[in-house]
Amino acid sequence: MKYTFLLATFSLIFMVSCSDNKSETAISSPDSNIKVDFFLSDSGQPGYTVSHKGNTVIDSSYMSFDFKDQDPLQDNFSIISSETSTINEEWEMPWGEQRMVTNHHNTLFVSLKENTESGRSLNVIFKVFDDGLGFRYELGAQEGVSEVLITDENTEFNLTGDHKVWWQPGDWDIYEHLYNESQFSEIDALSKKDHPNLIASMIPENAVNTPVSMKTDDGLYLSFHEADLTNYAGMTLKVDTGNYGMVSELAGSERLGGKAKVSLPFATPWRTVQISEDAGGLIESNLLVNLNEPNAIGDVSYFTPMKYVGIWWEMHIGKSTWDMEGSQDMSTYIDGAKGSSRHGATTENAKKYIDFAAANGIKGLLVEGWNTGWDQWINTEDREGVFDFMTPYPDYDFDEVMAYAKEKGVEVIMHHETSAAPRTYEKQMEVAYNFMKDNDMNSVKTGYVGKIIPQGEYHHGQWMVNHYEKVLKDAAAKKIAINAHEPIKATGKRRTYPNAIAREGLRGQEFNAWATDGGNPPDHLATIAFTRMLSGPIDFTPGVFNIKFDEYKESNQVNTTLAHQLALYVVIYSPIQMACDLPEHYAPNGEIHPAFQFIVDVGVDWEQSKVLEGEIGDFVTIAREEKETGNWFVGGITDENARNSTIDFSFLPEGKEFTAVLYKDGPDAHWDTNPEAYEIETMQVNSTSTVDINLAPGGGFAISLIAE
Ligand code: NOJ
Ligand code: CA
């Protein structure tokens, strides 16, 4: 990776040096639009406000920590010093939504000390960018105390009105709830408990997971999240619906008896607020990656962004099973009845997928259910040790499949379902990763379905945060890339560990196959783009062409049109994108579906990305320029409402001609009544062209723009 420092101005200005607890200090964004005021209350408690163009966005909000066996860190502080500095640099991503990232911000570093005998110290650091801000705490060293157990971090975000909010419940175990749209005063996370389709879920309070996005009455867009979540617990935000207040509530651990045990001195993750005058600005923001440390693992060229197929969707729709015994049968998911054995991961089936990939320009193949242990997967309480990441089922000739894939130029992606038994996984990782490398495998999809073992730990607690990071580090040492399912949320750490290629951490496509609540509604991805996607790449697994799959499941379907599925390859960013449907659905009569050409052509690694239009939960259109080729791709999706979109190609370079292929909804297309109706149109365009496109209810469009 190459870092180009264009301009790095550093100005340290000594601003305050006194013990006057009324001291105030402020910092603005480089464009001066966002301003943060830091202050101490009369009781000496640190607090801050945020304004945008002079309007308050976050009203007086205070900060404190509670500990086991120590007084809270709250009142009685004095400002010892405060300094400001500026950074303006560019850095290069190995793969991403864009190649070069601008990191331009002003920093305010405030050092505080308690006016007590112990005189504990606390630094609060604000970094203010044009697109938002982040702040973190540094808990100072204490004489004779090496470690503290944080029982609560109380960071407030007091809002200025009853904003419209896109939220999901603050679950310590899973991010696979649907986003809800409501006024802030109507957030009711506790009503989302006991979801029938979630095996692990823990919603202790009326809190929301992050990212949580909002729109104010004045039309300003806000999104709250965190950056650089390291050796700490994931943050939810507890809501005070009456006062429009939010306060951090960390995921806990019953084993720990608190939230996070940390050695002093300790720096917390950044608490982030994205601020934008248009919804698309939230997506274009690089705040989170900029608040993370640079690449710590060196060369990552062992991974190449790619599209992949997989023995996967067929298990979710119930055509086949993960295990040979037939006990993990999603076709009987609803009543939990035991099914029959229809093992998906057979040598023959893998070869069928390899042939399909090789013939259609798809580089990767994922095979789930290849290793023994799946018969004891979800149904077993004690899942410690059930999985073996080395031993194939007898009907899957691992060596033969690998040799065949190699011959055909297809890269096989490993699959490690840990069944949420991280201790077992940690014991086996070294051997499992060596086994992968011995077989030239460079990436693995991991999974953590179920309640974490040991009991008392949650997916988003400190113990698991550290596990997910250990996986990234150990995998990096072996030159392996990780696509984690049931992960900890992304917090921009892909900058530090670029081998964190993608993750799930949302209601993925799979819910359409078996969820008993009707699957993902048509507005799902138009919401995800402005919420979950702000945190980082998503392994959503788009590309269902056989939308109703009645042959397998009459009670389930995908709730979008086929063109909407195509658009997702551009709208949803990931350096790995699955073409998730079955080969026979892409080539129904042995002949490849004409619309599959878009999946063949579309890029997976981008020079730059532009959000052309969008409203949270309604619609979004994104254009991305492919790295190196100069080709552009555009994807647009809508919710359950039809819409007309005028695409203005002025984002194209001036004076260049492009062959545009438009994949759009057919005239009578509809996500429910006619989802597979599509049209393909070819035309010449340049930067002065515009085109009108009709999107069906639940519909979308995709455009490939091939440079001439
Ligand atoms: C859940 C993952 O999200 C899904 O993609 C995978 O197929 C199953 N777990 C099995 O590991
Ligand atoms: Ca999942």
Side-chain angles (χ1 to χ4, degrees), residues 427-445:
K427 272 189 218 143
Q428 301 186 8
M429 259 155 49
E430 164 87 14
V431 174
Y433 292 167
N434 286 343
F435 177 70
M436 281 178 62
K437 288 318 276 196
D438 289 347
N439 287 286
D440 294 331
M441 299 174 100
N442 303 312
S443 61
V444 53
K445 170 178 170 178

Side-chain angles (χ1 to χ4, degrees), residues 316-317 330 334 510-519 547-550 552-559:
H316 285 275
I317 61 176
M330 294 306 264
I334 295 169
E510 63 197 40
F511 278 77
N512 292 324
W514 41 254
T516 52
D517 62 1
I547 302 281
K548 298 256 181 185
F549 50 90
D550 281 346
Y552 301 108
K553 273 281 190 80
E554 278 187 20
S555 50
N556 286 84
Q557 68 172 70
V558 172
N559 300 314

